[in-house]
Amino acid sequence: MGTFKLPKTHFSPPQKTLCAFSTWYSPPPQTPTRHWPPPPPPPHHESPFLTTISEAIKNIETKPLHISLKKILPSFKAHHFISLVNQNPYFLPPKSLLSFFNFLSLYPTFSHTVQSYCSMVHFLTAHRMNQQAESLLHFVVSRKGKGSASSVFASILETKGTLLSSFVFDALMSVYTECGYLADAIQCFRLTKKHNLKIPFNGCKCLLERMIKMSSPMVALEFYLEILDSGYPPNTGLQPTAVSFNTLINGYYKSGNLEEGFRLKMVMEEFRVFPDVFTYSALIDGLCKECRLDDASRLFNEMCDRGLVPNSVTFTTLINGQCKNGRVDLALEIYQQMVNKALKADLVLYNTLVNGFCKGGYFREARKLVGEMTKRGLRPDKFTYTTLLDGSCKEGDLELGLEMKKEMEKEGIQLDNVAFTAIISGLCRDGKIVDAERTLREMLRADLKPDDVPDDITYNILLEGHCRHGKLGDFHNVKTEMGLVSDYASYISLLNELSKASKIVKRDDF
C-alpha cells in the first residue's frame, strides 16, 4: 500500500490572516479520543518462530518450557533471543522475559552471548529494572575481565535499538570500578564522550571515590579535570569538597611530593574551596619534616590570618618540628600560644616537649613539665619516663635517671632495652661497675638480652667500663658467667682503652 499524496490541483485557501481564516473555515466536530492498541510488528521471517516462543512463555504456568519448547530449543540461538526481546510480539512483561533469559542460561544446548546479555540489559533498563540490569552487567564484566571495556561498550551500542538509556553506561562504569578495573572504567567514560552520549555522572562519582580511597591522588585529580574539560559543570554534584582535596594533599605529602600538595592547594582555591585546618596541618607537617621551619611558621601565620583556629594537632606538629631541630625556645613560645588559646595539651604534645627538652639538655625543666602534665590529669607513659631516663643518663645526671627508674617500677612500667642500657652506661661512666653488673643481671632476668640492642651496645658499654677502671679480669668472669660473646667492635674498643693506659693484652683473653 503506497503513501497518499495530494493531487497537484488541490484546493488552496486564500492568503488571509489567521483571524480571517477562522471566520470562513470551521473544523469538523471532534470525536472522542480512543486509545487503540499499538500496531502489530512488521512482518518478519522469524515471526512464527517467535510467536511460538512467546506463547510458551505466556502459558508457562500450565505447561513447563522444557516440554512446550522441546522441539524448538535445540535450534534456538542467541540471535533468536535478541529478536524476541526487540520485537516482543506478545508484549510479555519484563519479569517473564527475564525468567526465560535465566531458563536459557541453564539449558544445556543454549549459550548466551555478550550481545544477548546487553539486549536484556537494555530491555530491563527500559522497564526500570535497574538492579537486575546492573547484575547482568556485573556478570559480563566478571567473565570478560580486565581490558574488556571497548568490546563490551561496542556490544551495548550494537544492541541498543531504540532502548538506549544513560543508566547503562553509569552502571557499566560503576561495575568496572567495583571489580577494580579502573582503567576500563575510565575507558568507558572516554567512549561516552567519543560517541556524544550523556556523561555518566554517577559512574564518574563512583570512580573518583574509589581512586581517592586507593590513595591515587594524581590519577584522581587528572580524571577530575578531564571530567570538567568535557563540559560537565562542577557545581552539579562533582564539585570537590575540602575533604576530597585534603585527602589528595595528604596523599602527596605522605608520598614525599610536598610541592604537588601546595600546587593542589592553589587548585583548591581556584575552585573556591577554601583550605581548612586539616589542609594547613598536613602542609605544615610536611614542611617541618623537611626542616623548612621558617616556611612552616609563615604558613601557620597565614592560617591564623584567615581566621582559622589551629588545633592541638597543628601546634604539636610545629612544636615537634622546632624540638627536632634544637629550637626548644621557639617550641616553648608556640606552646605558650596554645595555652593562651585555651587549648588543652594531650599526652603526645607533652611527650614531644619532654623529648625536645631532654635533647636540648634541659632535664630539670623536662621534669617540671612532667609534674605539670600530672597536675593536668595526664599520666606519664613508658615513652615519657624512658625519654627522661635515657636523656638524663646520657648527659651525666645519673641521679635523675635512677629516680626515673624507681618511678617506672612504682607505676608498674617495665623497663626496655633502651632504659637498661642507659642506666648501665651511666653507672659505668661513674665507675659503679658492680652496680652496672647488677643492672645487667636484672636486665637478663626481665628476659631482655643485650644483643637485642643494635651493635651489642650494652655489651660494649660494660666492656669499656671495666677497661676504663682496670677491671678487665672481672669483666672476663662476668662474660663467662653470662655467656656473652665478644665481637670485633668489642675487641677494638678494648684495645683503644688499654692503649690509653699503655697496657698490652693478648687476643687469647677473648
Side-chain angles (χ1 to χ4, degrees), residues 150-170:
S150 296
S151 61
V152 174
F153 195 95
S155 297
I156 290 175
L157 289 181
E158 178 186 343
T159 57
K160 66 182 179 62
T162 59
L163 304 175
L164 186 62
S165 167
S166 60
F167 168 81
V168 177
F169 301 111
D170 264 319

Side-chain angles (χ1 to χ4, degrees), residues 304-352:
C304 296
D305 292 341
R306 291 191 174 187
L308 296 172
V309 180
N311 56 24
S312 59
V313 175
T314 317
F315 278 110
T316 302
T317 298
L318 274 174
I319 291 171
N320 186 48
Q322 301 292 359
C323 286
K324 284 185 175 180
N325 286 272
R327 300 163 70 170
V328 181
D329 52 339
L330 292 178
L332 280 174
E333 288 182 12
I334 297 169
Y335 171 69
Q336 194 57 49
Q337 289 183 46
M338 181 177 176
V339 173
N340 294 339
K341 290 182 179 294
L343 290 173
K344 293 184 179 180
D346 57 11
L347 183 60
V348 175
L349 177 58
Y350 274 114
N351 281 343
T352 301

Side-chain angles (χ1 to χ4, degrees), residues 67-78:
I67 296 176
S68 59
L69 298 177
K70 185 177 181 179
K71 295 181 179 180
I72 293 180
L73 284 175
S75 59
F76 193 77
K77 304 299 180 185

